[in-house]
Amino acid sequence: MLRQIVLLVVASVMLIACSEQTSGFKTFREGQQALQTINNLLSTQEQQSEAASWPFSESYLQARHQAYQGLKAIKLDVSQQAQLNYLIIAERYPERYFVWPVQRDVISQARSLDDYSVNALANWLELVETQLIAAEQSNLKLNKIELTLLHNMVKSHLDNSDDSVQAALNKLNQYLTQYKPRTKLGLVGLANGKDWYQSKLNYFSGETKPPLNWLSEIQASLKQSQSADFVLPVSDSHAKPLVMNYFVENHQHTGLDWQLDYLDPLKSKRKLTQGEQYFWQVMMETDLGIHYHTWSEQQARVNLMKRLGVVQQQADWLIEDIVLYPAMSFIFIN
């Protein structure tokens, strides 16, 4: 009897401990701040002075998962819950194999930290290569646009003065030089890529609808629309997705996704002009073409140049944005 009582006490203590571990947030803002700290090396902001964990390292994945679980335990509004559900679903997919998101200059961000560690950076660069090798063995590969952007990023830091970092960069550079990218640009070229793309479509559009249905609706709308004047924002960077140029200026940071700088797309998007509506319909059509219908870079380029009247350089920049930020154009579906 005494033994049973002791076991019950121990079990209760363990349950309480587990509960405290996963529900440490009292408010949405606390959970958001925790994610900002975890993701600070992927940030475009200069607010954090210390690195909690390196992107997609084991400690990073564990801390991020615990933060998501903590957010699940508090009351969220409809939009916040949708964001959290989307991010939790993304944990299933192969993002963790691509340790260096090519949109962000992790090395420069790391060097700006007060606790910058040469050895930690060198170890993380080795993890980038190790995970890419592991991904290849699982038939998960970068596409040629991602490879080019990553390789250029690595080469831009090859003059590093730190010996261990320099050695890791040289090794990674040699690996990327011989790397054979996947032939398909879109997510459809990855294992479970169609499911991953569908989850993104569901979240950013706010509706659950197959890609084929979306494509038929968008193309029917384009037949009835006439091309209208629009201004294409000029940029030489993909650190922020193009959609953010169409958010309200005085937006509040009520989001959870580092890729959108912690903005809630549903609450941040502004009303579009007629020309902007046409532009984003064309972007949605091209997005579906690349990520679901296996369009080549040339097919996507021709479609954008024909529909929008842009030059090749502009079309190629738009293709990169679509490749790096799948389905985000569907923020403007309504």
Side-chain angles (χ1 to χ4, degrees):
M1 183 66 178
L2 179 60
R3 183 172 180 273
Q4 290 177 326
I5 293 174
V6 171
L7 288 173
L8 283 171
V9 170
V10 171
S12 298
V13 170
M14 291 178 66
L15 284 171
I16 292 169
C18 290
S19 175
E20 289 176 348
Q21 183 180 19
T22 58
S23 60
F25 307 135
K26 294 180 180 178
T27 65
F28 175 84
R29 179 59 182 152
E30 285 183 7
Q32 183 194 54
Q33 288 176 329
L35 285 174
Q36 287 176 320
T37 300
I38 292 164
N39 287 306
N40 69 325
L41 286 175
L42 299 175
S43 176
T44 58
Q45 311 296 322
E46 295 185 2
Q47 299 172 351
Q48 303 284 348
S49 61
E50 297 181 356
S53 49
W54 289 80
F56 299 98
S57 63
E58 192 61 37
S59 61
Y60 169 95
L61 294 172
Q62 290 177 359
R64 190 184 65 173
H65 179 73
Q66 288 182 4
Y68 291 165
Q69 296 305 306
L71 281 162
K72 279 177 67 175
I74 63 176
K75 186 174 179 57
L76 304 174
D77 66 29
V78 173
S79 181
Q80 292 166 347
Q81 189 64 60
Q83 293 178 66
L84 180 61
N85 292 344
Y86 163 68
L87 293 171
I88 288 174
I89 288 171
E91 289 185 287
R92 307 174 192 169
Y93 295 109
E95 184 184 49
R96 62 190 176 277
Y97 285 105
F98 306 120
V99 174
W100 190 340
V102 297
Q103 307 99 311
R104 302 291 169 91
D105 186 349
V106 176
I107 292 181
S108 293
Q109 187 73 0
R111 286 177 175 159
S112 70
L113 300 176
D114 293 341
D115 65 344
Y116 167 61
S117 165
V118 171
N119 290 336
L121 175 55
N123 290 338
W124 180 77
L125 289 168
E126 290 179 6
L127 177 66
V128 172
E129 182 179 349
T130 299
Q131 286 295 80
L132 283 174
I133 293 171
E136 281 193 275
Q137 294 170 351
S138 300
N139 201 28
L140 300 168
K141 305 186 76 174
L142 298 168
N143 62 44
K144 63 179 182 179
I145 287 176
E146 293 165 335
L147 174 61
T148 298
L149 292 172
L150 178 58
H151 203 177
N152 287 342
M153 188 84 73
V154 169
K155 287 187 284 189
S156 73
H157 289 288
L158 281 179
D159 60 348
N160 195 288
S161 58
D162 302 315
D163 289 345
S164 58
V165 173
Q166 182 69 55
L169 281 168
N170 286 336
K171 189 168 179 288
L172 181 57
N173 180 52
Q174 291 173 3
Y175 170 72
L176 294 175
T177 299
Q178 57 80 43
Y179 189 96
K180 303 298 181 186
R182 70 177 190 266
T183 55
K184 297 174 182 176
L185 282 182
L187 289 185
V188 69
L190 295 173
N192 298 321
K194 285 190 175 183
D195 293 335
W196 197 8
Y197 185 56
Q198 182 70 66
S199 74
K200 290 177 179 289
L201 280 177
N202 295 348
Y203 171 62
F204 288 117
S205 70
E207 299 181 43
T208 302
K209 194 179 295 184
L212 287 174
N213 291 23
W214 279 126
L215 186 62
S216 62
E217 288 183 22
I218 291 166
Q219 290 183 332
S221 179
L222 284 170
K223 284 182 181 178
Q224 298 173 1
S225 304
Q226 292 185 341
S227 179
D229 292 337
F230 67 93
V231 177
L232 180 63
V234 177
S235 175
D236 58 356
S237 169
H238 290 287
K240 295 185 179 182
L242 182 59
V243 293
M244 292 186 66
N245 286 280
Y246 299 83
F247 286 0
V248 294
E249 291 185 9
N250 297 320
H251 41 57
Q252 294 187 352
H253 292 261
T254 58
L256 295 170
D257 190 351
W258 62 266
Q259 293 194 55
L260 286 167
D261 276 353
Y262 306 98
L263 298 177
D264 180 341
L266 298 180
K267 297 175 182 176
S268 301
K269 65 179 181 179
R270 63 170 171 80
K271 186 176 181 180
L272 302 180
T273 66
Q274 184 179 352
E276 290 167 345
Q277 288 174 16
Y278 177 82
F279 168 76
W280 280 109
Q281 283 186 320
V282 175
M283 288 291 282
M284 291 174 212
E285 178 190 35
T286 311
D287 197 301
L288 289 162
I290 289 173
H291 289 293
Y292 191 79
H293 289 287
T294 68
W295 281 9
S296 67
E297 190 173 8
Q298 179 62 15
Q299 285 175 293
R301 183 184 296 123
V302 167
N303 190 63
L304 290 169
M305 293 175 71
K306 177 182 177 182
R307 295 275 201 194
L308 300 176
V310 295
V311 299
Q312 180 174 331
Q313 185 177 8
Q314 291 173 315
D316 288 348
W317 192 92
L318 292 174
I319 290 168
E320 289 176 0
D321 192 80
I322 290 169
V323 166
L324 296 177
Y325 301 104
M328 273 197 193
S329 54
F330 280 80
I331 288 171
F332 299 113
I333 191 66
N334 295 319

